[in-house]
């Protein structure tokens, strides 16, 4: 049925989209914040502002219709990721970039913004890891071996995300893995749904 295939493709893209978008945007992220890159630095973080939280939303999307404490934990952890990583994006991304652009000779304010942003990021990436682990456990319990490839990619990406932003190659590849992992997990659900009523 063509309509069913289109619906599966749409839901799979919805799950994979945030990770894939972050991977692509990571290619435009300057490797360092300098007076020469300050404008591109803060501008790319403005674009990233609505995209970063969607990575957590993708996990909640994967768990729709599921119940239990792990689902609740994944939702709370994904929310923590979205809030705290947005704080990093705002302070160390937009704020620090604007500060360096305004004071190219050196901005102590930019260093302070980056320092606070990095602390917020630690909470955010830990939240994403917890959400990814909880999501993987729920989906492997439900779909067994069929959920393992996507779960491994998702959790592996979350582990790399602990010490990497979206800088290429490491961070960009981690986001690519997260997107593919979420896409595989959603595709499995979409295939099983007509047979199981999920």
């Amino acid at each position: 049925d063509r309509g069913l295939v289109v619906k599966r493709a749409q839901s799979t893209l919805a799950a994979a989209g945030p990770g894939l978008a972050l991977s692509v945007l990571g290619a435009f992220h300057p490797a360092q914040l300098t007076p020469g890159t300050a404008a591109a630095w803060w501008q790319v973080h403005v674009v990233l502002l609505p995209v970063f939280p969607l990575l957590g939303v993708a996990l909640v999307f994967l768990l729709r219709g599921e119940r239990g404490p792990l689902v609740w934990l994944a939702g709370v952890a994904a929310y923590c990721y979205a809030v705290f990583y947005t704080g990093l994006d705002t302070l160390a991304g937009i704020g620090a970039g604007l500060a360096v652009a305004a004071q190219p000779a050196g901005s102590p304010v930019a260093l302070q913004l980056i320092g606070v942003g990095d602390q917020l990021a630690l909470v955010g990436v830990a939240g994403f890891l917890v959400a990814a682990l909880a999501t993987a456990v729920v989906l492997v319990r439900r779909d067994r071996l069929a959920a393992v490839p996507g779960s491994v990619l998702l959790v592996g990406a979350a582990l790399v995300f602990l010490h990497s932003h979206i800088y290429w190659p490491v961070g960009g590849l981690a986001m690519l893995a997260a997107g593919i992992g979420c896409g595989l997990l959603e595709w499995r659900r979409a295939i099983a749904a007509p047979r199981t009523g999920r």
Side-chain angles (χ1 to χ4, degrees), residues 30 32-41 100-101 104:
Q32 294 182 335
L33 174 56
T34 67
T37 63
W41 182 278
V100 171

Side-chain angles (χ1 to χ4, degrees), residues 123-137:
V123 179
V125 293
F128 185 74
L129 177 59
V130 170
L133 284 167
T135 299
V137 170

Side-chain angles (χ1 to χ4, degrees), residues 152-181:
V152 168
L153 285 171
L154 174 60
V155 173
L159 287 168
V160 174
F161 200 31
L162 287 173
H163 55 78
S164 176
H165 190 44
I166 60 169
Y167 302 108
W168 271 89
V170 176
L173 289 174
M175 291 300 99
L176 181 62
I180 294 171

Side-chain angles (χ1 to χ4, degrees), residues 46-193:
V46 169
V47 176
L48 287 164
L49 195 62
V51 184
F52 274 127
L54 294 178
L55 194 61
V57 172
L59 303 187
V60 174
F61 178 70
L62 288 172
L63 293 173
R64 66 195 184 281
E66 301 297 325
R67 299 288 180 267
L70 282 177
V71 176
W72 180 86
L73 175 64
V76 171
Y79 173 76
C80 287
Y81 154 74
V83 170
F84 285 92
Y85 213 79
T86 297
L88 163 74
D89 189 42
T90 304
L91 295 178
I94 300 169
L98 285 170
V100 171
Q103 292 183 300
S107 173
V109 172
L111 292 175
Q112 292 175 339
L113 290 169
I114 290 171
V116 174
D118 286 346
Q119 292 174 12
L120 296 176
L122 287 174
V123 179
V125 293
F128 185 74
L129 177 59
V130 170
L133 284 167
T135 299
V137 170
V138 170
L139 297 183
V140 168
R141 281 182 180 173
R142 185 189 73 195
D143 296 329
R144 305 296 178 196
L145 288 176
V148 169
S151 295
V152 168
L153 285 171
L154 174 60
V155 173
L159 287 168
V160 174
F161 200 31
L162 287 173
H163 55 78
S164 176
H165 190 44
I166 60 169
Y167 302 108
W168 271 89
V170 176
L173 289 174
M175 291 300 99
L176 181 62
I180 294 171
C182 288
L184 288 173
L185 290 167
E186 177 56 28
W187 183 255
R188 170 60 192 160
R189 175 197 175 97
I191 290 173

